[in-house]
Amino acid sequence: MRASRESVLAALRSPVPAASLSPGTGRYRHHYAAHGAAFWGDDLAAAVDRFFTARQALDGSRVLDLGAGTGRHCFEAARRGAATVDAVELDAVAAQFILEGSLRLEHAGIVPEGVIRLHAMNAVEYLHGTCAGYDLIICYGMLHVLAGDDAASVLSDVERALKPGGTLILQFLTNKFAAPREQPELDDVWISPDYAARILDCGAWDIWWRDDTDIRHSHISSGDHQHGSQRFLADRR
């Protein structure tokens, strides 16, 4: 039976207790539900920070943030003058933080209305469908949660979607270490360090910064742990 209009309005007005949320499709839903934006924290990720240190302004640029999480990188791109920031995030809990953050930045006069555009969908599907040419694509912490065919598809479509001279910020985890007990969503990370070393090994890219340093950190939801990690800053030829 179709739900009544009244039941829809009642559901829209009711709070959603974090403990009752369905698992969802995104890998980090229970972390977002329990901790919100605090799960990743406010600091920019290492490769994103390195990029913005080297290239201060994004005035007039088109930016794509794949697997945008709760929005910390797309907010920074918008603050630095990007004309449009397409934030692609599948998880509805994380996407809510992007919407709320965008509204707050607009209200404060920091970012013009409409600069940050949320696409609540799978990044693979978004890339298949877009004809946009981007000056900057951020793909941070997403590739390792995809199946092998999807990861290859993303890299191919990123190459197509990025303008010549545009930059890709890429980071992913490898299977060098076992997943932390508090992050079972990473049990099936399949990217080996050897595979990772070849991931941008083609004529399309000028890699101007690379870092293979392992990550050692603590999330708000987990203790100290390690991940194998690869980070790249690469310009499209």
Side-chain angles (χ1 to χ4, degrees):
M1 180 184 297
R2 182 175 297 173
S4 68
R5 175 66 178 162
E6 290 73 20
S7 65
V8 170
L9 294 176
L12 290 173
R13 293 176 183 132
S14 64
V16 181
S20 71
L21 282 171
S22 62
T25 306
R27 292 292 185 100
Y28 298 104
R29 168 161 288 203
H30 63 289
H31 298 295
Y32 294 142
H35 306 290
F39 175 62
W40 296 119
D42 296 325
D43 294 337
L44 299 177
V48 178
D49 186 57
R50 174 63 68 103
F51 172 81
F52 284 131
T53 298
R55 303 181 184 180
Q56 295 286 319
L58 292 177
D59 295 342
S61 296
R62 297 195 68 177
V63 177
L64 173 61
D65 189 358
L66 295 168
T70 53
R72 57 178 174 156
H73 296 145
C74 66
F75 296 152
E76 183 66 9
R79 183 186 75 81
R80 289 176 180 267
T84 59
V85 180
D86 288 312
V88 180
E89 176 53 53
L90 177 66
D91 190 276
V93 180
Q96 177 180 313
F97 288 97
I98 296 175
L99 288 174
E100 292 175 352
S102 300
L103 180 59
R104 290 187 173 98
L105 293 178
E106 292 171 6
H107 181 70
I110 296 171
V111 175
E113 183 179 359
V115 168
I116 299 171
R117 307 185 300 197
L118 174 65
H119 304 269
M121 63 188 300
N122 181 289
V124 178
E125 295 175 1
Y126 179 84
L127 283 168
H128 279 337
T130 186
C131 297
Y134 290 99
D135 301 288
L136 173 65
I137 296 180
I138 304 170
C139 183
Y140 213 96
M142 186 193 78
L143 208 66
H144 56 265
V145 305
L146 301 177
D149 288 347
D150 283 340
S153 172
V154 162
L155 290 172
S156 175
D157 285 339
V158 161
E159 182 181 327
R160 175 182 55 80
L162 196 61
K163 296 177 182 176
T167 301
L168 169 64
I169 304 176
L170 177 67
Q171 188 273 348
F172 49 84
L173 302 183
T174 72
N175 59 9
K176 182 177 180 180
F177 301 101
R181 178 175 53 81
E182 300 90 345
Q183 291 186 277
E185 66 275 2
L186 299 178
D187 281 340
D188 59 351
V189 170
W190 57 273
I191 300 179
S192 69
D194 289 342
Y195 177 92
R198 301 190 303 270
I199 208 158
L200 293 181
D201 186 18
C202 67
W205 303 100
D206 288 320
I207 299 172
W208 53 275
W209 183 76
R210 173 177 171 170
D211 181 25
D212 300 341
T213 305
D214 298 333
I215 297 173
R216 179 178 287 278
H217 63 178
S218 297
H219 294 293
I220 192 171
S221 60
S222 63
D224 186 57
H225 59 273
Q226 277 186 292
H227 297 296
S229 174
Q230 300 268 329
R231 304 177 183 89
F232 297 90
L233 297 176
D235 291 342
R236 174 78 167 87
R237 288 180 180 169

